[in-house]
Amino acid sequence: NPEVIYFCGNRVFKSYDRGDSWPVHSPDLTTRDEVKIAGNVPHCTITTIDESTLNPGLLIVGTDDGLVHMSRNGGYDWSNMTGQFPGAPSGWWVSRVALSAHDESVAYVSFTGYREDDFRPLIYRTDALGSGKGWTLITAGLPAEGPVNDVVEDPRDPDVLYAGTEFGVHVSCDAGKSWVPLGGGLPRVAVHDLAVHDRDSVLVAATHGRGFWALEIDAVRAL
């Protein structure tokens, strides 16, 4: 529905009229930590949201103070999934949440400890979304000190994943079991956002200070 737009602060706002009005569609989904809110780098904000392309009622959000919530009815009710990610430090910034375009039960969540001097890559996958269990770490092959800023599932092949890290882009062709660098001229630079332009088979990367980069990915998909 092209008239539906989401905007997030500490709550989720959902417009049904292309932004002319913004009904609130969630309670405060952050920790409401007064110390973090008062800091010189404000926290307690929703940093990432995704709506399922298979079920528009399925939403997932992550915050900069470490919380992950899910809704199955378009934002009217939310369940807290925080604490289901083994090994993830409490309170770390949720850099990306992503719902699969192939299977409603599959989702991905990445955390970054960049602002806490913890540079480990942290990407989790579940094949049982909403069950309360099943999140596993999928970081084999990623740089040991390369925080993850984004994770994207290929819209044509569920086994192909792309990760934007502090050291460029990595790709997995086995649903996250292993990762390799995706070079092709991209400088060693922090990649903060990725998008797959499916019609033209192009992966677009937004970097920190080095502009936008694009890569034709038919060859990657062929692997």
Side-chain angles (χ1 to χ4, degrees):
N1 183 350
E3 295 191 358
V4 173
I5 308 172
Y6 295 93
F7 172 83
C8 296
N10 61 331
R11 305 171 186 266
V12 174
F13 299 82
K14 183 177 181 179
S15 175
Y16 295 90
D17 51 19
R18 297 179 184 268
D20 287 339
S21 60
W22 289 98
V24 177
H25 259 263
S26 80
D28 191 331
L29 297 178
T30 73
T31 62
R32 302 178 292 281
D33 186 323
E34 293 184 0
V35 174
K36 289 186 175 182
I37 294 173
N40 60 357
V41 179
H43 284 70
C44 302
T45 303
I46 296 168
T47 47
T48 173
I49 182 173
D50 198 18
E51 176 196 61
S52 171
T53 57
L54 303 174
N55 173 7
L58 180 58
L59 305 172
I60 186 171
V61 302
T63 72
D64 59 10
D65 51 357
L67 303 188
V68 179
H69 286 83
M70 178 185 70
S71 174
R72 290 193 178 276
N73 58 7
Y76 290 98
D77 299 289
W78 294 84
S79 57
N80 191 341
M81 296 190 293
T82 309
Q84 297 180 13
F85 307 93
S90 175
W92 263 211
W93 192 294
V94 182
S95 55
R96 194 69 66 196
V97 294
L99 296 166
S100 173
H102 304 274
D103 186 338
E104 270 190 53
S105 63
V106 175
Y108 307 87
V109 173
S110 63
F111 296 83
T112 173
Y114 182 88
R115 297 158 185 82
E116 315 295 340
D117 292 330
D118 183 342
F119 303 118
R120 292 173 293 163
L122 295 168
I123 305 177
Y124 293 86
R125 172 193 169 106
T126 183
D127 296 309
L129 182 63
S131 67
K133 57 184 179 179
W135 290 94
T136 57
L137 192 64
I138 53 167
T139 55
L142 289 176
E145 294 191 350
V148 175
N149 300 314
D150 196 5
V151 57
V152 175
E153 182 190 70
D154 193 289
R156 295 191 193 177
D157 189 336
D159 287 334
V160 178
L161 306 176
Y162 308 96
T165 77
E166 290 296 307
F167 301 110
V169 179
H170 285 67
V171 63
S172 172
C173 294
D174 52 15
K177 294 183 180 66
S178 62
W179 296 84
V180 294
L182 193 60
L186 181 70
R188 190 173 173 86
V189 64
V191 174
H192 288 296
D193 203 6
L194 293 170
V196 176
H197 193 299
D198 190 29
R199 184 196 67 195
D200 295 337
S201 296
V202 171
L203 176 70
V204 182
T207 71
H208 186 93
R210 296 295 297 271
F212 292 96
W213 294 73
L215 175 71
E216 294 182 1
I217 54 175
D218 280 336
V220 176
R221 288 167 163 172
L223 294 176

